[in-house]
Structure formats: structure tokens, C-alpha cells
Amino acid sequence: MAKWGEQQHTEEKIKQVAQWIIHSKRTVVFGGAGLSTESGIPDFRSPGGVWDKYNPEDFYYQNFIASEASREKYWQMATDMYEPMKKAQPNPAHLAIAELEKIGKLDCVITQNIDGLHQKAGNSEEKIIELHGTAMHVTCLHCKKRYDRDAIQERIRRGTKVPYCDDCGGPLKPATISFGQAMPERETEEAYQRSSACDLFIVIGSSLVVQPAASMPLIAKRNGAKLVIINRDPTPYDNLADILIHGQAGSIMAEILNAVKKQLS
Ligand code: NAD
């Protein structure tokens, strides 16, 4: 628990962020895996995170392309991770972001997450930019045909080890961006554009080490936006933040939302 002095300091920061949100014309929220840990989905780098369980190399796109054995391993890991993701519910941080949209205070949420929790929380599709794709769909790497994830998981439950496209026979892969895979053009372009045009950029739950996503806060800052970082652990850009809050995303975002509503009422 934070000491009394620290607690008071955090409350002042929360009030300041709320004021900035109220006066902002374009607030961009930028989320990472830390936004969803309180929903029970592990992040990558924290103790007990995904990297403690799996070898990062097994996620490389080149390996997926290279061999049937790698694809089989990938689908085992992906299946393992999908079940808890599907059951997960939005936490107070997602709900606060959805509420910011409802009260007209959200330009967009740029997310590195693939878990669909912003949609479940109530943000509209056009406000969500999924930079690293989504685990809720599957795509054929050859003809790009899109499948519902549950339908493909059902094939795997029945014994398929590596699913292939019904139309062209190409390999199917969750519609997420793996390490080494090209970023989605439209989403990346839009994220850059929104980051440069905003006046307030709020990072929530990201280690800010995965590129090119991690360059978005820099772009925002260079173009004159205020930068707020809310994260449990330090990030490489902490010294650039106008306000830095170390702590749990859920409670901090709920308090920021309360402060916004209080100041608006
Ligand atoms: P990361 O694992 O590198 O870092 C997560 C950060 O969140 C850490 O710095 C940690 O201190 C912080 N954090 C963890 N729990 C927190 C909490 N409750 N409140 C505040 N901060 C908290 O994650 P990243 O920066 O998003 O990048 C990793 C990549 O992993 C991304 O590309 C993303 O696509 C992918 N990923 C996504 C999910 C998901 O969809 N939920 C889960 C795991 C990984």
C-alpha cells in the first residue's frame, strides 16, 4: 500500500489528469497487456507472465511459416491462451475508457492487446485501433479469408492439430501480429495519425518496449501533446511523461473517471 504522502501525491496527479481530459480536444488512450492483467490475462514480461511459460521464439512468424511442427506448437500455445482470454471480463480500467467515450472524451484507444476487452467494455469498433490484431478471428495467410475463432477452436477440439483454409488450403493463423510479421497498414497509419494529432496521450499498462507501437507516445509528445504514463513498473519513457503514475491501472483509471465526472458535474 502507498504511504500517506505518496497517496496524497497520487490524488493530486489524478485530479490533474482529469482536468486535462476535460479540457482536451483529442484524448488518445494507448493500452498494453498491463491493462488486462486485472481481468486475469497475464502480460508478457511480468513474473508469471507469458514469457515464463513459453519460449518467445515459438511466437516468431518466420517459424510459423517454416514448418508444420512449429505451426502445431503455435496452435497448442494459442489454444492454451485463448480459453482464459475468451472468458475474461473487462476490469475497471476498460470500463473507465468505455465511459470516456460515452461522455465524449475519447478520440480513440490504440491497443496492443488482442483480447477484445475494449469491445466487451462497450467502446465502439470505430474508436478501437487494434495495432497487433485480434485473437477473436483467424485468417488464412494465403487468401486472407477470415474465420470466427470459435469455429476453428472447435476443429482443434475435435483433433485437428493445424487448421488449413477451406477455400485455398493455406495455413490458418489467429488474426494477431506475431513477432516478425508485418504490421497492419491501415491500423498503423491511423495510430500514427491520431498520435500526432492528439493533445493528450495516456499510456496504460505497457512496458513501452515493443516497436513500432512504443514510438506512439514519442510522436504524440513531439507534436505537443501532454503525455501521461500509468504503469506498474518503470518504462523507458518515464522521464518524458508530464505525469507519471505507478500503480494498478484498474483503480487509477476508476479514480480518474470519478474525478472527471465530479469536475464536470
Ligand atoms: P508487456 O507484457 O511488455 O508489459 C506490460 C506492462 O504492464 C508491464 O510494464 C507491467 O508493469 C504493466 N502492468 C501489468 N499489470 C498492470 C496493472 N494491473 N496495472 C498497471 N500496469 C500493469 O506488455 P505490452 O507492453 O503490452 O507488450 C507486449 C505485447 O504483448 C503486446 O504486443 C501485446 O500484443 C501482447 N500481449 C497482449 C495480451 C492481451 O491481449 N491481453 C496479453 C499478453 C501480451
Side-chain angles (χ1 to χ4, degrees):
M1 189 192 274
K3 290 191 194 123
W4 185 81
E6 279 172 26
Q7 184 70 35
Q8 199 187 35
H9 196 44
T10 303
E11 278 168 23
E12 279 161 17
K13 289 180 182 177
I14 283 169
K15 267 193 211 153
Q16 181 64 76
V17 175
Q19 231 169 62
W20 284 349
I21 291 174
I22 289 167
H23 293 115
S24 153
K25 289 198 167 56
R26 287 169 188 242
T27 295
V28 168
V29 168
F30 176 90
L35 225 164
S36 295
T37 54
E38 291 169 67
S39 295
I41 303 172
D43 61 15
F44 273 175
R45 289 170 182 79
S46 298
V50 176
W51 288 165
D52 274 358
K53 204 169 166 196
Y54 300 111
N55 180 353
E57 282 182 20
D58 291 334
F59 287 84
Y60 288 2
Y61 186 62
Q62 286 73 5
N63 293 344
F64 187 91
I65 296 295
S67 78
E68 176 80 6
S70 290
R71 287 194 279 281
E72 186 175 330
K73 199 164 182 188
Y74 183 96
W75 270 104
Q76 278 166 5
M77 293 184 311
T79 299
D80 210 17
M81 289 166 71
Y82 176 64
E83 290 308 324
M85 215 175 256
K86 202 191 145 193
K87 286 193 201 120
Q89 291 303 317
N91 67 54
H94 299 104
L95 297 173
I97 296 164
E99 192 66 21
L100 286 180
E101 177 181 340
K102 277 200 201 105
I103 61 176
K105 285 287 156 201
L106 182 74
D107 181 60
C108 68
V109 51
I110 302 173
T111 183
Q112 298 171 86
N113 294 344
I114 54 171
D115 53 31
L117 284 177
H118 290 296
Q119 285 88 340
K120 272 194 195 165
N123 278 116
S124 50
E125 247 354 299
E126 66 267 21
K127 292 280 182 190
I128 307 169
I129 303 174
E130 291 175 315
L131 261 192
H132 295 162
T134 172
M136 302 301 133
H137 291 102
V138 167
T139 334
C140 169
L141 295 182
H142 183 63
C143 72
K144 310 293 173 218
K145 180 171 175 175
R146 211 167 146 94
Y147 294 81
D148 179 57
R149 178 72 184 262
D150 283 334
I152 302 303
Q153 286 305 134
E154 183 54 22
R155 289 191 202 178
I156 287 177
R157 203 186 60 76
R158 290 187 185 172
T160 299
K161 300 260 190 266
V162 180
Y164 286 92
C165 182
D166 296 332
D167 286 1
C168 75
L172 298 185
K173 182 181 167 295
T176 56
I177 305 299
S178 298
F179 293 105
Q181 191 170 0
M183 294 288 287
E185 262 175 50
R186 186 186 61 77
E187 285 83 355
T188 309
E189 179 55 40
E190 191 171 351
Y192 276 125
Q193 193 269 321
R194 301 270 187 162
S195 301
S196 11
C198 72
D199 54 19
L200 179 60
F201 191 96
I202 307 178
V203 175
I204 309 174
S206 176
S207 60
L208 296 180
V209 298
V210 178
Q211 292 293 353
S215 63
M216 306 287 165
L218 287 184
I219 289 166
K221 181 83 186 169
R222 267 193 220 125
N223 283 281
K226 291 193 179 73
L227 175 62
V228 175
I229 299 180
I230 300 165
N231 203 51
R232 204 183 51 204
D233 298 305
T235 82
Y237 302 135
D238 285 2
N239 59 346
L240 292 180
D242 297 284
I243 288 188
L244 173 66
I245 307 179
H246 280 146
Q248 294 288 99
S251 52
I252 293 166
M253 283 309 294
E255 284 179 49
I256 289 176
L257 179 70
N258 278 341
V260 168
K261 285 181 160 172
K262 210 162 149 190
Q263 290 181 37
L264 281 176
S265 64

PDB file of all heavy atoms in Angstrom, residues 4 12 29 38 94 110 134 148 155 164 191 193 200 203 251:
ATOM      1  N   TRP A   4       1.249   7.543   3.173  1.00  0.00           N
ATOM      2  CA  TRP A   4       0.273   8.632   3.151  1.00  0.00           C
ATOM      3  C   TRP A   4       0.691   9.756   2.195  1.00  0.00           C
ATOM      4  O   TRP A   4      -0.076  10.208   1.365  1.00  0.00           O
ATOM      5  CB  TRP A   4       0.039   9.176   4.570  1.00  0.00           C
ATOM      6  CG  TRP A   4      -1.051  10.211   4.577  1.00  0.00           C
ATOM      7  CD1 TRP A   4      -2.392   9.973   4.591  1.00  0.00           C
ATOM      8  CD2 TRP A   4      -0.895  11.633   4.515  1.00  0.00           C
ATOM      9  NE1 TRP A   4      -3.091  11.148   4.544  1.00  0.00           N
ATOM     10  CE2 TRP A   4      -2.191  12.196   4.500  1.00  0.00           C
ATOM     11  CE3 TRP A   4       0.207  12.488   4.484  1.00  0.00           C
ATOM     12  CZ2 TRP A   4      -2.408  13.566   4.454  1.00  0.00           C
ATOM     13  CZ3 TRP A   4      -0.017  13.866   4.441  1.00  0.00           C
ATOM     14  CH2 TRP A   4      -1.314  14.381   4.418  1.00  0.00           C
ATOM     15  N   GLU A  12      -3.359  14.084  -6.231  1.00  0.00           N
ATOM     16  CA  GLU A  12      -3.184  15.357  -6.968  1.00  0.00           C
ATOM     17  C   GLU A  12      -2.969  15.082  -8.460  1.00  0.00           C
ATOM     18  O   GLU A  12      -3.510  15.771  -9.318  1.00  0.00           O
ATOM     19  CB  GLU A  12      -1.980  16.135  -6.425  1.00  0.00           C
ATOM     20  CG  GLU A  12      -2.322  16.897  -5.161  1.00  0.00           C
ATOM     21  CD  GLU A  12      -1.081  17.286  -4.371  1.00  0.00           C
ATOM     22  OE1 GLU A  12       0.027  17.262  -4.934  1.00  0.00           O
ATOM     23  OE2 GLU A  12      -1.241  17.578  -3.172  1.00  0.00           O
ATOM     24  N   VAL A  29      -5.984   7.148 -25.780  1.00  0.00           N
ATOM     25  CA  VAL A  29      -5.538   6.181 -24.786  1.00  0.00           C
ATOM     26  C   VAL A  29      -4.742   5.109 -25.528  1.00  0.00           C
ATOM     27  O   VAL A  29      -5.151   4.642 -26.596  1.00  0.00           O
ATOM     28  CB  VAL A  29      -6.745   5.546 -24.054  1.00  0.00           C
ATOM     29  CG1 VAL A  29      -6.306   4.333 -23.243  1.00  0.00           C
ATOM     30  CG2 VAL A  29      -7.423   6.577 -23.152  1.00  0.00           C
ATOM     31  N   GLU A  38      -5.578  -7.355 -14.752  1.00  0.00           N
ATOM     32  CA  GLU A  38      -6.609  -7.403 -13.692  1.00  0.00           C
ATOM     33  C   GLU A  38      -7.880  -8.110 -14.173  1.00  0.00           C
ATOM     34  O   GLU A  38      -8.798  -8.331 -13.393  1.00  0.00           O
ATOM     35  CB  GLU A  38      -6.913  -5.985 -13.189  1.00  0.00           C
ATOM     36  CG  GLU A  38      -5.737  -5.396 -12.416  1.00  0.00           C
ATOM     37  CD  GLU A  38      -5.882  -3.911 -12.138  1.00  0.00           C
ATOM     38  OE1 GLU A  38      -6.765  -3.533 -11.369  1.00  0.00           O
ATOM     39  OE2 GLU A  38      -5.096  -3.128 -12.724  1.00  0.00           O
ATOM     40  N   HIS A  94     -10.822  -0.873 -18.313  1.00  0.00           N
ATOM     41  CA  HIS A  94     -11.549  -0.917 -19.600  1.00  0.00           C
ATOM     42  C   HIS A  94     -12.862  -0.144 -19.484  1.00  0.00           C
ATOM     43  O   HIS A  94     -13.252   0.581 -20.405  1.00  0.00           O
ATOM     44  CB  HIS A  94     -11.901  -2.360 -19.991  1.00  0.00           C
ATOM     45  CG  HIS A  94     -10.721  -3.266 -20.182  1.00  0.00           C
ATOM     46  ND1 HIS A  94     -10.362  -4.204 -19.254  1.00  0.00           N
ATOM     47  CD2 HIS A  94      -9.830  -3.377 -21.203  1.00  0.00           C
ATOM     48  CE1 HIS A  94      -9.298  -4.868 -19.697  1.00  0.00           C
ATOM     49  NE2 HIS A  94      -8.957  -4.387 -20.871  1.00  0.00           N
ATOM     50  N   ILE A 110      -5.821   3.168 -28.792  1.00  0.00           N
ATOM     51  CA  ILE A 110      -4.883   2.381 -29.598  1.00  0.00           C
ATOM     52  C   ILE A 110      -4.441   1.244 -28.690  1.00  0.00           C
ATOM     53  O   ILE A 110      -3.868   1.483 -27.630  1.00  0.00           O
ATOM     54  CB  ILE A 110      -3.653   3.229 -30.010  1.00  0.00           C
ATOM     55  CG1 ILE A 110      -4.079   4.467 -30.795  1.00  0.00           C
ATOM     56  CG2 ILE A 110      -2.659   2.385 -30.792  1.00  0.00           C
ATOM     57  CD1 ILE A 110      -2.941   5.449 -31.094  1.00  0.00           C
ATOM     58  N   THR A 134      -6.270  -9.178 -33.557  1.00  0.00           N
ATOM     59  CA  THR A 134      -7.198  -9.713 -32.564  1.00  0.00           C
ATOM     60  C   THR A 134      -7.149 -11.239 -32.535  1.00  0.00           C
ATOM     61  O   THR A 134      -6.984 -11.875 -33.590  1.00  0.00           O
ATOM     62  CB  THR A 134      -8.646  -9.244 -32.867  1.00  0.00           C
ATOM     63  OG1 THR A 134      -9.526  -9.954 -31.983  1.00  0.00           O
ATOM     64  CG2 THR A 134      -9.079  -9.519 -34.302  1.00  0.00           C
ATOM     65  N   ASP A 148     -14.286 -17.119 -37.891  1.00  0.00           N
ATOM     66  CA  ASP A 148     -14.548 -16.873 -36.476  1.00  0.00           C
ATOM     67  C   ASP A 148     -13.635 -17.792 -35.662  1.00  0.00           C
ATOM     68  O   ASP A 148     -13.482 -18.971 -35.995  1.00  0.00           O
ATOM     69  CB  ASP A 148     -16.027 -17.171 -36.185  1.00  0.00           C
ATOM     70  CG  ASP A 148     -16.340 -16.951 -34.718  1.00  0.00           C
ATOM     71  OD1 ASP A 148     -16.098 -15.838 -34.240  1.00  0.00           O
ATOM     72  OD2 ASP A 148     -16.788 -17.913 -34.060  1.00  0.00           O
ATOM     73  N   ARG A 155     -12.631 -27.111 -34.374  1.00  0.00           N
ATOM     74  CA  ARG A 155     -11.891 -28.108 -35.180  1.00  0.00           C
ATOM     75  C   ARG A 155     -10.740 -28.679 -34.346  1.00  0.00           C
ATOM     76  O   ARG A 155     -10.463 -29.869 -34.389  1.00  0.00           O
ATOM     77  CB  ARG A 155     -11.254 -27.457 -36.417  1.00  0.00           C
ATOM     78  CG  ARG A 155     -12.227 -27.049 -37.468  1.00  0.00           C
ATOM     79  CD  ARG A 155     -11.436 -26.676 -38.711  1.00  0.00           C
ATOM     80  NE  ARG A 155     -12.202 -25.815 -39.579  1.00  0.00           N
ATOM     81  CZ  ARG A 155     -11.752 -25.296 -40.707  1.00  0.00           C
ATOM     82  NH1 ARG A 155     -10.516 -25.544 -41.102  1.00  0.00           N
ATOM     83  NH2 ARG A 155     -12.505 -24.530 -41.446  1.00  0.00           N
ATOM     84  N   TYR A 164      -6.262 -25.616 -41.738  1.00  0.00           N
ATOM     85  CA  TYR A 164      -5.971 -25.047 -43.065  1.00  0.00           C
ATOM     86  C   TYR A 164      -7.252 -24.500 -43.678  1.00  0.00           C
ATOM     87  O   TYR A 164      -8.364 -24.898 -43.287  1.00  0.00           O
ATOM     88  CB  TYR A 164      -5.337 -26.115 -43.962  1.00  0.00           C
ATOM     89  CG  TYR A 164      -3.901 -26.380 -43.570  1.00  0.00           C
ATOM     90  CD1 TYR A 164      -3.592 -27.385 -42.656  1.00  0.00           C
ATOM     91  CD2 TYR A 164      -2.860 -25.604 -44.070  1.00  0.00           C
ATOM     92  CE1 TYR A 164      -2.279 -27.609 -42.263  1.00  0.00           C
ATOM     93  CE2 TYR A 164      -1.552 -25.816 -43.683  1.00  0.00           C
ATOM     94  CZ  TYR A 164      -1.261 -26.821 -42.783  1.00  0.00           C
ATOM     95  OH  TYR A 164       0.033 -27.019 -42.385  1.00  0.00           O
ATOM     96  N   ALA A 191      -3.050   4.909 -36.338  1.00  0.00           N
ATOM     97  CA  ALA A 191      -2.481   5.127 -34.994  1.00  0.00           C
ATOM     98  C   ALA A 191      -1.459   6.256 -35.033  1.00  0.00           C
ATOM     99  O   ALA A 191      -1.436   7.117 -34.145  1.00  0.00           O
ATOM    100  CB  ALA A 191      -1.853   3.832 -34.488  1.00  0.00           C
ATOM    101  N   GLN A 193      -1.353   8.709 -37.183  1.00  0.00           N
ATOM    102  CA  GLN A 193      -2.060   9.957 -37.459  1.00  0.00           C
ATOM    103  C   GLN A 193      -2.743  10.487 -36.183  1.00  0.00           C
ATOM    104  O   GLN A 193      -2.610  11.650 -35.834  1.00  0.00           O
ATOM    105  CB  GLN A 193      -3.056   9.686 -38.596  1.00  0.00           C
ATOM    106  CG  GLN A 193      -3.661  10.891 -39.239  1.00  0.00           C
ATOM    107  CD  GLN A 193      -4.950  11.275 -38.539  1.00  0.00           C
ATOM    108  OE1 GLN A 193      -5.721  10.408 -38.155  1.00  0.00           O
ATOM    109  NE2 GLN A 193      -5.157  12.565 -38.353  1.00  0.00           N
ATOM    110  N   LEU A 200      -3.628  15.069 -25.808  1.00  0.00           N
ATOM    111  CA  LEU A 200      -3.384  14.336 -24.563  1.00  0.00           C
ATOM    112  C   LEU A 200      -3.243  12.862 -24.907  1.00  0.00           C
ATOM    113  O   LEU A 200      -4.105  12.285 -25.586  1.00  0.00           O
ATOM    114  CB  LEU A 200      -4.565  14.550 -23.590  1.00  0.00           C
ATOM    115  CG  LEU A 200      -4.498  13.831 -22.244  1.00  0.00           C
ATOM    116  CD1 LEU A 200      -3.267  14.244 -21.438  1.00  0.00           C
ATOM    117  CD2 LEU A 200      -5.767  14.126 -21.415  1.00  0.00           C
ATOM    118  N   VAL A 203      -0.846   6.603 -21.674  1.00  0.00           N
ATOM    119  CA  VAL A 203      -0.370   5.208 -21.769  1.00  0.00           C
ATOM    120  C   VAL A 203      -0.866   4.459 -20.535  1.00  0.00           C
ATOM    121  O   VAL A 203      -0.715   4.937 -19.413  1.00  0.00           O
ATOM    122  CB  VAL A 203       1.178   5.161 -21.769  1.00  0.00           C
ATOM    123  CG1 VAL A 203       1.680   3.718 -21.734  1.00  0.00           C
ATOM    124  CG2 VAL A 203       1.754   5.909 -22.966  1.00  0.00           C
ATOM    125  N   SER A 251      -7.697   0.611 -10.539  1.00  0.00           N
ATOM    126  CA  SER A 251      -8.121   1.581  -9.534  1.00  0.00           C
ATOM    127  C   SER A 251      -7.785   3.006  -9.976  1.00  0.00           C
ATOM    128  O   SER A 251      -8.577   3.936  -9.767  1.00  0.00           O
ATOM    129  CB  SER A 251      -7.490   1.259  -8.174  1.00  0.00           C
ATOM    130  OG  SER A 251      -6.108   1.114  -8.339  1.00  0.00           O
TER     131      SER A 251
END
